[in-house]
Amino acid sequence: DPGTVIEPMGLVPSRPSLRPGDVLSRAGREQGLIAGDIGIASPEAGGAGTDCVEAMRSRKLAWYGDAVLSELQAQGITYVPLIVSCYGRRSRVLTNLLRAAASRAARTRDGASAADLRRRWQRAVAAEGWRRTAASPRRFLPRPAEGVGAAGAGGV
């Protein structure tokens, strides 16, 4: 969808700084917009239960609550958690969305195969999940002190 917006702001009029979607798009939908909230879930995380993907989806829906979701719906925007496990398992909703978007995209591109587009996008989603998973531990490492270079406090 050429009209896709990344990190859209102001989707919730009562709380303009709230960002309920990482992606705002028509992709995979015949009508209305999707505010896709991307999440990477780990089965080892606290609260993951027996299905980390479903646990994260439930947490995201509960976080925004009925009031925010109603405001989005009134504008024709459907909030959709798009969850991938850190091992690459996609939520059913994400899988269905990719299938619908690939089918729609293939109809507008001469010679494009919906199955080929879907497989390419599924690989891209899995690669991004692995990239984010690999980068995650860096968030917990101590930050270097200001003014300290790679060679240490004394320099070389």
Side-chain angles (χ1 to χ4, degrees):
D1 172 27
T4 295
V5 177
I6 306 297
E7 303 291 340
M9 295 293 288
L11 294 181
V12 183
S14 67
R15 296 171 65 189
S17 63
L18 194 63
R19 289 187 321 98
D22 296 306
V23 177
L24 184 66
S25 181
R26 294 187 189 285
R29 303 262 310 182
E30 295 299 325
Q31 297 178 356
L33 294 166
I34 290 176
D37 190 2
I38 300 166
I40 309 292
S42 171
E44 287 84 23
T50 59
D51 185 348
C52 64
V53 171
E54 179 57 29
M56 179 175 270
R57 186 191 74 79
S58 296
R59 277 195 311 274
K60 284 182 174 283
L61 288 170
W63 171 259
Y64 290 113
D66 293 337
V68 169
L69 300 180
S70 295
E71 277 190 68
L72 291 172
Q73 197 63 47
Q75 302 173 73
I77 300 171
T78 302
Y79 172 77
V80 181
L82 304 172
I83 314 300
V84 179
S85 82
C86 64
Y87 299 113
R89 183 172 67 87
R90 295 176 307 279
S91 67
R92 184 176 64 247
V93 172
L94 178 54
T95 298
N96 291 341
L97 181 65
L98 288 172
R99 183 177 293 119
S103 177
R104 191 170 183 190
R107 288 194 301 265
T108 64
R109 299 178 186 175
D110 288 338
S113 160
D116 288 343
L117 288 172
R118 187 185 77 248
R119 281 191 294 272
R120 182 170 39 153
W121 295 344
Q122 287 171 339
R123 285 191 302 269
V125 166
E128 181 63 15
W130 280 102
R131 187 191 68 75
R132 287 184 182 206
T133 298
S136 182
R138 287 188 304 195
R139 293 184 304 163
F140 304 105
L141 294 174
R143 303 269 184 234
E146 195 171 310
V148 176
V156 175

